Amino acid sequence: MQHIWQQRRADEHKHRPNDNRSPWQVDRSRIIHAAAFRRLQAKTQIMGIGLNDFYRTRLTHSLEVSQIGSGLLRHLSRQHPDITCLPDESLLETLCLAHDIGHPPFGHGGEIALNYMMREHGGFEGNAQTLRIVAKLEPYTQGYGMNLTRRTLLGFIKYPALIDTLWHTHPEQNAKQQFIKAHDWRPAKGLYNDDQDLLDWILAPLDDSQRQRFTSHEQYDAYRHKTRYKSLDAAIMELADDIAYAVHDLEDAIATEQITVHDWQAHGEPALAQIDCPWLDDSRITERLFFGCEAQRKDIIGELVNLFITQSRLEQTDSRFGCDILRYQVTLPSAYMSLLNALKHFIYKRLIRAPHMQQIEFKGQKLIMELFAAFASDPLRLLPETTALSYRKAEQQGDNPLRVLCDYLSGMTDEYAYKTYQRLFAPTIGV
C-alpha cells in the first residue's frame, strides 16, 4: 500500500547520480522551484499588494503555514506514537507551501469573477486549480505537471467531489445585469469535471464503497453542497492554514492599524467573552495585542500559535474507511476550536468584509471579468502564442477550451493582470 501512494502518474528515468532524496523530498523540491510557487509573492493575501505596508503576501503566508504544519506534525507524532499513517514532514511541507498556488489574482474577487465567467463551462475554484497546476499545468513534464506522488496529490484535495455535482440550485441570471452579487457566485468547493481522469487515478487504491463515502456531500447553503471528508494530510494542512489566517493575519491587521483597539473592544472581546476557554482567563490578550510594545504583541501571537498546535489531537472520523489516511482527522477540543473560529470570524467581519476592502475586491472582480470577456471574444488573436496553441488543441480534441483561458487568467499576478487590462483597454497605454 505504501508503494501505491508513492506512485507517480508518469514513469520517470532521471539521470540523478547519488540522489538519496525520498519521494516526498522530491515533491517538495519541485514545488519550491516551480514558477507558480514564485508567483505567490505578487498575489493578494488579504490586502492588495502595494495598498499598505502589509507584510504578508500569499508567499509569506504559505511559508508560515508550512512552519505551523511542521509544528502540528511533530506534536501529533509525539501524542500518537502508535499511529503510523501520519505524513512525512517533507510531504506535509509540500502541501502547506503549495496550498494557495491555484488562487487567482485579486483574491476572492478574482475567484468569484472566474467562477461566474466559467459558470456554463465547469466553474472555477482555487483549490481545484491548485491540483490542476501541480498535476497538469506546471511544465515539469508534458501533460503531468510536476508529476507528484499519489499521496501528495490526495493531500491537495480538500473537497473530493466534482463541482458539477455540488450545485443543487443555480442563482438566477439576468443578461442585462452589469454586475453580479458576489455571495451568489462563490464557488462550489470541489474539482473540475475536466480533471475527472486525474481524480480517478488518485483514488484508484480505494474500493468502490470507500470512494463513494469519501466523495459524498451534503447541502451547505441555498445553492451549494459541501463534501464531508478529506485525507489526514489535507486536514493537517487546513488546520495550519486556519491558524495562520486567524493569528498572523490578525497581527498584520493590528500592526497596519486596519483594526483598532476600538474595533477589538466592540467586536472581538464580546465574542471571546462567550467562550469557555481556560487560556483566556489569564491571557491579558487585549493588553498584549494593543497596549504593549511590538515585542509583547509578537509574544502573544507566538503563544496563540503554540496553544493551537499543542491542543491538537487525532480522532477517527469513520471506521468504515479501510485506509488509515482517510480514517483519521486532526481536531481541537471544542473550547479551543471556538477560540480559533472567533478569531477567524473577527478577521473576516472587521477586515475582509469591511466596505473599503470589499470595494477593492469588487474592482479586481470586475477587472478579471472584463479580461475574460475580451480574451474569449477572439482568443486565437489575443492570447499569447503558447496559450493560443493550447486553446486550439482543446477545440480540436473536443475538450474545454475556455478552461485553457481560465488557466491563463488565474495564473496571473495582481500586477500582471492590471497591466494586461491597461494594455487592452486604456487608450493612452502602448504595448
Side-chain angles (χ1 to χ4, degrees), residues 48 157 164 166 194 294 321 327-328 345:
I157 301 178
D164 287 359
L166 296 172
D194 298 318
E294 184 176 357
F321 281 119
R327 184 184 298 131
Y328 289 98
H345 185 72

Side-chain angles (χ1 to χ4, degrees), residues 188-389:
K189 294 184 178 297
L191 303 172
Y192 305 137
N193 270 35
D194 298 318
D195 297 329
Q196 171 81 66
D197 60 327
L198 175 59
L199 179 62
D200 289 341
W201 184 85
I202 295 171
L203 300 185
L206 308 180
D207 62 33
D208 289 344
S209 63
Q210 288 189 84
R211 175 170 176 163
Q212 185 175 7
R213 188 174 302 113
F214 185 56
T215 58
S216 63
H217 43 79
E218 58 195 0
Q219 186 168 336
Y220 176 67
D221 62 15
Y223 300 117
R224 289 155 285 250
H225 290 275
K226 189 173 183 179
T227 56
R228 295 186 176 98
Y229 300 104
K230 57 179 62 68
S231 70
L232 172 59
D233 307 347
I236 298 173
M237 175 264 285
E238 185 174 46
L239 179 56
D241 188 22
D242 286 347
I243 294 171
Y245 168 73
V247 180
H248 289 303
D249 289 350
L250 173 64
E251 176 189 9
D252 276 350
I254 294 171
T256 56
E257 299 181 350
Q258 295 298 308
I259 287 178
T260 68
V261 66
H262 301 293
D263 290 325
W264 178 259
Q265 290 172 333
H267 302 280
E269 285 185 344
L272 297 186
Q274 303 299 314
I275 300 172
D276 183 18
C277 179
W279 178 83
L280 286 170
D281 296 340
D282 301 312
S283 68
R284 297 183 295 113
I285 186 170
T286 300
E287 175 187 341
R288 295 164 71 189
L289 283 175
F290 291 95
F291 297 110
C293 63
E294 184 176 357
Q296 288 177 302
R297 185 169 64 240
K298 288 284 186 184
D299 183 58
I300 193 170
I301 291 298
E303 189 173 319
L304 277 165
V305 172
N306 179 74
L307 177 73
F308 292 127
I309 288 175
T310 56
Q311 291 296 320
S312 65
R313 62 193 183 197
L314 294 180
E315 288 185 356
Q316 285 199 45
T317 55
D318 193 328
S319 60
R320 291 174 293 178
F321 281 119
C323 175
D324 286 348
I325 303 173
L326 307 185
R327 184 184 298 131
Y328 289 98
Q329 298 285 289
V330 60
T331 65
L332 290 172
S334 59
Y336 296 94
M337 182 59 76
S338 296
L339 174 59
L340 180 64
N341 287 335
L343 294 175
K344 287 171 57 182
H345 185 72
F346 176 75
I347 284 290
Y348 179 76
K349 295 294 290 185
R350 304 308 303 171
L351 181 62
I352 295 176
R353 294 297 299 177
H356 72 285
M357 294 296 294
Q358 286 302 299
Q359 290 169 11
I360 294 168
E361 188 174 288
F362 173 84
K363 182 178 180 180
Q365 173 184 309
K366 182 174 183 293
L367 185 150
I368 293 296
M369 290 172 65
E370 293 186 11
L371 280 181
F372 191 105
F375 280 110
S377 70
D378 200 348
L380 299 182
R381 173 191 178 197
L382 298 177
L383 286 171
E385 183 177 0
T386 55
T387 308
L389 289 173

Side-chain angles (χ1 to χ4, degrees), residues 59-200:
L59 178 61
T60 55
H61 164 76
S62 297
L63 293 172
E64 288 171 336
V65 173
S66 179
Q67 183 181 23
I68 293 170
S70 294
L72 285 166
L73 183 58
R74 286 192 299 272
H75 171 74
L76 294 171
S77 297
R78 293 190 181 106
Q79 291 293 106
H80 305 275
D82 55 322
I83 294 179
T84 59
C85 62
L86 282 164
D88 178 89
E89 185 172 2
S90 294
L91 190 162
L92 187 64
E93 287 178 359
T94 299
L95 301 178
C96 292
L97 288 171
H99 77 282
D100 266 353
I101 64 173
H103 283 251
F106 308 116
H108 291 295
E111 186 177 43
I112 288 167
L114 288 174
N115 185 52
Y116 177 75
M117 300 305 286
M118 290 289 291
R119 62 193 181 278
E120 296 178 359
H121 304 279
F124 178 86
E125 201 272 328
N127 298 287
Q129 193 67 19
T130 293
L131 181 68
R132 184 170 172 82
I133 288 170
V134 300
K136 289 190 173 182
L137 301 181
E138 190 68 22
Y140 184 87
T141 60
Q142 186 65 39
Y144 297 100
M146 301 180 198
N147 199 27
L148 304 179
T149 58
R150 193 193 308 266
R151 180 164 177 174
T152 298
L153 294 178
L154 178 66
F156 280 119
I157 301 178
K158 291 173 64 174
Y159 309 103
L162 298 177
I163 285 175
D164 287 359
T165 69
L166 296 172
W167 287 93
H168 57 84
T169 305
H170 283 277
E172 293 184 8
Q173 300 179 41
N174 184 346
K176 297 181 179 180
Q177 185 178 3
Q178 184 178 4
F179 305 113
I180 62 172
K181 189 174 182 180
H183 175 78
D184 289 350
W185 290 101
R186 287 186 296 108
K189 294 184 178 297
L191 303 172
Y192 305 137
N193 270 35
D194 298 318
D195 297 329
Q196 171 81 66
D197 60 327
L198 175 59
L199 179 62
D200 289 341

